[in-house]
Amino acid sequence: MKPILLLLAFVFFSFQAFTQGVIRGKITNRVNNQPVAFANVLVMRSELGAISDENGFYEITKVPPGLYNVRVSFVGFKTKTQFEIQVNLAKPVQLDFDLSEDASELSEVVVSSEYSRSEETPLSVRKLNANEIERYPGGNRDISRVIQSLPGVASTPSFRNDILIRGGAPNENKFFIDEIEVPVINHFATQGSSGGPVGILNVNLIKNVDLIAGGFPANRMDALSSFFEFQLKEGRRDKMATQLTVGASELTLSNEGPIGEKTTYLLSARRSYLQGLFKLIGLPFLPTFNDFQLKTTTKINEKTELTFIGVGAIDKFALNEDVPDEESQEDRESRLYLLDVLPVQNQWNYATGLKLKRFRENGFWTFVMSRNMLNNHAVKYAGNDESSEENLLYDYLSQESENKFRAENSIFKKGFTVKYGVNYEYSRYFIKNFDRSVLASSEEVINVESTSNFNLYGGFVSASKYFYDERLLITGGVRMDGADFGKTAKNPFNQVSPRVSFSYQLKPNLFATANAGIYYQKPSYTVLGFKDSNGELINQVNDVRFIRNSQLIAGIELLIPEKNRRLTAEAFYKKYSNYPSSVRNGISLANLGADFGVIGNEPVESNSEGRAYGLEMLAQQRLFNNFYGIASLTLVRSEFTNPNTDGYIASSWDNRFIVSLTAGKRFGNNWEIGARWRFLGGTPYTPYDFEESSLIRNWDLRNQPILDFTQINAVRLQGFHQMDVRLDKKYFFKKWNLNWYVDIQNAYNFKAEQPPSLVPVRDLEGNILVDPSDPSRYHLKYLNNPAGTILPTVGIIVEF
């Protein structure tokens, strides 16, 4: 037996020690897609390299398995580096480069374009590559959680993926995949807001992510806080490959390969079994989610490329009324309260799009057509008793669908770039809403079914120009947007959005940057499509407007390419106007927060103002000597006005202080360990009105308490901190790879303070008790509602 084990061990280590990997790809000119011949390709910190042939192709052989930084250089082009390229034995690495022409005469100044800013967005851009995303501690392969490590990004301690950028709301972000807009990237998304507990996108397919937190390019529209640019990998051109990932809550299957000589594909499907885990531990809700992604790339010819994207999800949220075997009275009351409040919810969404890119000698045209749709259905019965329609509290069904077209022309000359384009969008909003009561003190019943259609249109022009041998970059642009959802919004001249950015090279690899701009975003469809009991688009009558945001940004950036290091500091100021506020309670929607459900489905007026300002700092170390890390610090204030209060009040996104520290180390034999620690200042919240909530007539309408809007965001939670740890081990075999990992979220089990729950006191049979001192009231009490528990995950990734 012992000789057999020794033989197996010898074979195993032989595969890892003596079989080598391959890096191959194509090098092209970013402007016209022409191949770049005779370019130098170097695997950094090694003697491995290659030179591209006359068609731009290169191949590097005999590369030991591991992580490498690969650099391409050629006279007349800017040097470009791609970081942390994983080489294995199962398949060659497909690594393509598109190079930008270099107009600078300062040939001795070399800056890796992986770190340098693009001409359109010379500041406030943060980058993550595929390997950083996949191995991120606490991320559990969820891109929304990985993003939370970046400066200016706040998160919540609850089971949600809300992305809060520089004091802005979650719905102020826009997401693009290969330049095609995808409105929803999370399961169980909050309609009219954003976020959700689990991300949709499969990190196996992502090549890199750019977060643009300010200085937005003129060809991007309808967002106030950020744009996320996801670039997916291109499918393998040589043969099919498959990846299987088994995690604690889901099973994911990915596949890629060629379809003929001109087309490649990427395909991913995921199925959760989270509901089984939740039922096992006795939680009162059982979520189930499924998602899919598809990308095809067709090289019609050397000058024409067609890309198709498809992303979708199906989410179901059921209630678990089984009673746990052992349960304290407090846990029992909390569980019954949640069962009384939580609806049965079904949600699905998809986004599809086509992008046609047509190159010419000095630029390219980009045409994008896309469609996306969100279907959200929530039903709630009193006592969860569906036997009688008299028990129906509300039945909410809505659909949002958008059909979009965008055309852009990019022209590149020596030292400057010009872009212009137009966009059009036709959207449909359908709502079928039965609601017994909007205000607990009212006997109003809403029963509406309607369809609304909207047209949005816009155009832009922008230009970038280098001066003083590329030491100074000036970028300017203007866009105009209009829509038919309101009288003011119809005229595009009411939504003129100028912007200008500056970047100046103080010293080699040291830059000063600044930006000023005005940006607009339409309110959510829940606001635009809301109709009253008479079937009237009441918010259109109220002349709801585009939300306006004026921004000022200034910063400094230091690049240290030889050590893969980047240091930045930026100060920002954002001024909001035309923000919608609730007519019913006189509260800005920015002060209502976001939770599972719907935000904005009510009459509003565009009369709230706001401001967010602060300072953010970043130190980023890409993989160097087997070490990597990100440290970020953000100081931020976010405040809004309410029509019924004086002055500015802290918004629901006012964390004030955000720290994120991430570091990792690679060891021999393909072991890797990483950790992240984050700290966020507590956010404010609005307490409940105990007196109004306890009235029997009020509680029976909704089975939940009423907020006290006379104390809007008057109470602040304590700060929240958490440590996440991840351990990875990789094995490289001749025709397949194995990676197992252990990811532990909240390793020291910190319990974050949350607003306390106001719940009714019940007897042993679960009946709500009446207040013995007042028969018109229920007996209510507050329960602590901490968030946070140790959440270990074990995953296995098999690639073949």
Side-chain angles (χ1 to χ4, degrees):
M1 185 67 181
K2 190 173 181 180
I4 296 177
L5 292 176
L6 290 173
L7 178 61
L8 289 174
F10 173 78
V11 173
F12 174 77
F13 286 107
S14 294
F15 277 143
Q16 301 201 71
F18 302 114
T19 309
Q20 308 296 306
V22 175
I23 302 175
R24 63 165 68 119
K26 187 176 183 180
I27 305 170
T28 57
N29 186 323
R30 186 175 76 92
V31 171
N32 53 31
N33 206 41
Q34 291 276 38
V36 178
F38 312 117
N40 293 303
V41 188
L42 175 66
V43 179
M44 300 184 66
R45 304 181 69 83
S46 80
E47 297 181 356
L48 299 171
I51 297 177
S52 60
D53 63 19
E54 63 273 13
N55 296 315
F57 291 102
Y58 74 93
E59 181 173 285
I60 304 174
T61 59
K62 299 182 179 179
V63 184
L67 277 180
Y68 299 94
N69 302 328
V70 182
R71 173 171 291 176
V72 171
S73 60
F74 188 65
V75 176
F77 290 88
K78 295 180 180 180
T79 299
K80 186 167 186 176
T81 303
Q82 294 199 40
F83 291 87
E84 301 190 33
I85 305 303
Q86 179 68 65
V87 176
N88 57 56
L89 309 178
K91 62 178 184 180
V93 175
Q94 185 171 289
L95 186 63
D96 298 333
F97 289 83
D98 57 337
L99 303 183
S100 300
E101 295 181 4
D102 190 357
S104 174
E105 297 178 4
L106 301 178
S107 57
E108 71 275 9
V109 178
V110 178
V111 178
S112 168
S113 62
E114 177 75 14
Y115 282 118
S116 63
R117 300 140 321 282
S118 70
E119 294 179 6
E120 294 178 285
T121 53
L123 76 171
S124 301
V125 178
R126 318 300 185 192
K127 296 176 178 287
L128 291 171
N129 61 37
N131 222 58
E132 289 173 309
I133 296 168
E134 187 163 344
R135 56 121 186 273
Y136 192 79
N140 199 19
R141 300 171 54 80
D142 188 333
I143 183 61
S144 296
R145 295 189 181 276
V146 175
I147 289 166
Q148 294 170 1
S149 68
L150 299 177
V153 183
S155 57
T156 58
S158 58
F159 295 103
R160 291 183 59 80
N161 281 351
D162 293 306
I163 300 173
L164 314 173
I165 307 290
R166 291 182 172 178
N171 64 345
E172 296 177 15
N173 310 308
K174 277 288 185 293
F175 310 98
F176 289 82
I177 298 179
D178 288 324
E179 301 185 74
I180 298 169
E181 185 178 343
V182 177
V184 180
I185 66 166
N186 286 299
H187 292 282
F188 303 102
T190 300
Q191 192 176 2
S193 183
S194 183
V198 182
I200 291 174
L201 303 180
N202 181 358
V203 300
N204 297 342
L205 277 59
I206 297 175
K207 182 179 180 181
N208 53 58
V209 181
D210 288 355
L211 163 59
I212 306 172
F216 307 136
N219 66 338
R220 293 291 181 257
M221 73 297 290
D222 203 28
L224 304 179
S225 283
S226 75
F227 289 91
F228 287 86
E229 303 282 352
F230 296 91
Q231 184 180 359
L232 299 188
K233 302 172 184 176
E234 186 177 323
R236 289 186 63 177
R237 294 188 285 261
D238 52 355
K239 63 179 181 179
M240 187 177 72
T242 302
Q243 187 177 73
L244 179 67
T245 303
V246 181
S249 60
E250 74 270 349
L251 174 67
T252 307
L253 180 66
S254 307
N255 188 261
E256 61 176 308
I259 307 175
E261 295 182 358
K262 297 184 177 181
T263 302
T264 62
Y265 74 91
L266 283 172
L267 177 64
S268 170
R270 178 166 56 166
R271 168 71 176 179
S272 79
Y273 37 84
L274 195 64
Q275 69 280 8
L277 176 62
F278 278 31
K279 191 168 186 177
L280 184 65
I281 61 179
L283 293 180
F285 47 89
L286 305 175
T288 304
F289 62 85
N290 306 271
D291 56 53
F292 65 87
Q293 294 166 71
L294 173 65
K295 174 183 178 178
T296 65
T297 305
T298 303
K299 312 284 187 180
I300 298 175
N301 54 48
E302 192 176 74
K303 294 294 185 180
T304 310
E305 180 178 293
L306 180 67
T307 302
F308 171 80
I309 294 291
V311 178
I314 302 173
D315 305 327
K316 295 185 178 181
F317 191 94
L319 299 180
N320 177 22
E321 299 189 65
D322 293 342
V323 180
D325 294 334
E326 296 182 3
E327 184 179 39
S328 67
Q329 178 65 14
E330 187 172 286
D331 289 341
R332 180 169 174 271
E333 290 173 337
S334 179
R335 177 178 58 84
L336 291 174
Y337 167 71
L338 288 175
L339 288 174
D340 278 346
V341 172
L342 293 174
V344 175
Q345 185 174 7
N346 292 314
Q347 187 179 104
W348 54 261
N349 67 83
Y350 68 82
T352 60
L354 281 170
K355 180 182 72 172
L356 180 68
K357 203 165 188 178
R358 175 65 180 173
F359 292 91
R360 57 183 185 278
E361 189 59 34
N362 67 336
F364 50 83
W365 276 96
T366 304
F367 301 95
V368 178
M369 294 181 63
S370 64
R371 174 177 169 82
N372 56 264
M373 185 171 181
L374 169 68
N375 185 94
N376 189 21
H377 187 205
V379 180
K380 187 62 182 178
Y381 286 85
N384 300 312
D385 182 4
E386 303 180 16
S387 61
S388 172
E389 288 300 312
E390 294 182 358
N391 296 326
L392 182 63
L393 295 177
Y394 62 88
D395 187 348
Y396 177 87
L397 171 65
S398 73
Q399 297 175 339
E400 301 175 4
S401 60
E402 298 174 329
N403 303 278
K404 302 178 181 181
F405 172 76
R406 191 171 82 248
E408 300 177 6
N409 188 17
S410 302
I411 304 169
F412 300 89
K413 295 291 186 179
K414 199 73 171 179
F416 72 91
T417 301
V418 175
K419 293 188 177 184
Y420 62 87
V422 295
N423 61 279
Y424 171 75
E425 175 183 322
Y426 172 75
S427 57
R428 171 184 174 270
Y429 178 76
F430 168 78
I431 183 171
K432 182 179 179 181
N433 186 22
F434 174 84
D435 198 333
R436 287 196 182 278
S437 179
V438 179
L439 293 175
S441 58
S442 167
E443 295 182 358
E444 178 185 5
V445 174
I446 288 181
N447 192 358
V448 174
E449 180 175 344
S450 68
T451 301
S452 305
N453 299 288
F454 304 101
N455 295 276
L456 289 88
Y457 34 87
F460 78 94
V461 61
S462 65
S464 303
K465 181 76 169 75
Y466 281 103
F467 300 90
Y468 308 120
D469 292 324
E470 291 198 344
R471 296 181 68 89
L472 174 64
L473 170 64
I474 301 177
T475 301
V478 62
R479 68 169 297 114
M480 298 169 61
D481 293 284
D484 58 3
F485 57 73
K487 181 180 179 181
T488 301
K490 285 183 179 180
N491 186 351
F493 287 96
N494 292 328
Q495 290 85 225
V496 177
S497 307
R499 62 206 69 190
V500 62
S501 298
F502 302 90
S503 176
Y504 186 73
Q505 185 180 31
L506 301 171
K507 294 181 178 180
N509 301 324
L510 179 63
F511 300 85
T513 56
N515 167 265
I518 299 174
Y519 312 102
Y520 287 91
Q521 179 177 333
K522 69 178 184 294
S524 65
Y525 286 111
T526 54
V527 168
L528 301 181
F530 175 76
K531 292 187 178 182
D532 60 16
S533 299
N534 298 321
E536 187 174 29
L537 281 170
I538 189 65
N539 292 328
Q540 190 175 65
V541 175
N542 293 339
D543 192 25
V544 65
R545 304 185 180 190
F546 278 91
I547 305 171
R548 188 178 190 264
N549 188 217
S550 304
Q551 296 189 17
L552 294 173
I553 307 170
I556 193 165
E557 179 178 24
L558 174 64
L559 307 178
I560 309 175
E562 63 273 13
K563 293 186 178 180
N564 304 339
R565 193 170 297 164
R566 181 190 190 200
L567 305 172
T568 67
E570 288 188 359
F572 60 90
Y573 182 85
K574 300 160 65 174
K575 174 65 175 177
Y576 293 85
S577 56
N578 302 338
Y579 211 95
S581 69
S582 170
V583 173
R584 292 171 181 155
N585 53 43
I587 303 300
S588 173
L589 297 192
N591 291 330
L592 292 179
D595 206 341
F596 301 101
V598 178
I599 299 293
N601 186 39
E602 57 180 306
V604 304
E605 291 183 349
S606 299
N607 58 359
S608 175
E609 296 184 351
R611 62 190 181 192
Y613 52 93
L615 173 69
E616 60 182 41
M617 292 175 280
L618 167 73
Q620 183 176 14
Q621 174 67 67
R622 301 273 192 176
L623 184 67
F624 185 76
N625 289 337
N626 291 319
F627 174 80
Y628 58 86
I630 299 178
S632 66
L633 167 66
T634 303
L635 306 175
V636 61
R637 295 294 296 269
S638 176
E639 304 167 325
F640 278 80
T641 63
N642 298 305
N644 65 351
T645 58
D646 296 328
Y648 284 94
I649 292 176
S651 79
S652 298
W653 328 115
D654 184 46
N655 286 97
R656 298 193 174 182
F657 193 78
I658 308 169
V659 177
S660 181
L661 305 174
T662 305
K665 174 72 174 177
R666 293 180 58 83
F667 299 93
N669 295 322
N670 300 304
W671 285 92
E672 182 175 335
I673 189 169
R676 175 183 71 159
W677 184 80
R678 54 181 171 140
F679 174 85
L680 293 92
T683 53
Y685 71 93
T686 303
Y688 293 120
D689 187 328
F690 191 95
E691 295 299 316
E692 286 295 316
S693 300
S694 63
L695 290 171
I696 293 176
R697 68 174 185 272
N698 290 345
W699 189 274
D700 285 346
L701 287 172
R702 276 287 192 164
N703 293 320
Q704 60 185 18
I706 302 168
L707 294 174
D708 183 0
F709 288 120
T710 64
Q711 301 187 64
I712 183 70
N713 286 350
V715 185
R716 187 174 289 271
L717 299 170
Q718 295 180 358
F720 153 73
H721 53 88
Q722 177 174 311
M723 170 73 79
D724 304 321
V725 180
R726 176 166 170 140
L727 176 68
D728 278 82
K729 170 63 175 172
K730 292 182 173 66
Y731 302 90
F732 301 109
F733 301 97
K734 188 172 184 179
K735 294 186 177 181
W736 63 288
N737 308 316
L738 173 65
N739 173 204
W740 62 261
Y741 65 90
V742 178
D743 188 286
I744 304 175
Q745 297 180 43
N746 196 16
Y748 51 72
N749 197 27
F750 179 78
K751 302 293 185 181
E753 183 187 22
Q754 294 288 282
S757 299
L758 183 58
V759 304
V761 179
R762 301 174 186 266
D763 60 21
L764 296 178
E765 284 72 37
N767 301 310
I768 300 177
L769 298 179
V770 176
D771 188 340
S773 63
D774 187 348
S776 67
R777 300 178 183 276
Y778 282 131
H779 188 189
L780 305 183
K781 69 175 182 179
Y782 283 101
L783 288 181
N784 291 329
N785 182 33
T789 185
I790 295 178
L791 186 59
T793 299
V794 177
I796 299 174
I797 304 172
V798 180
E799 191 172 9
F800 54 91

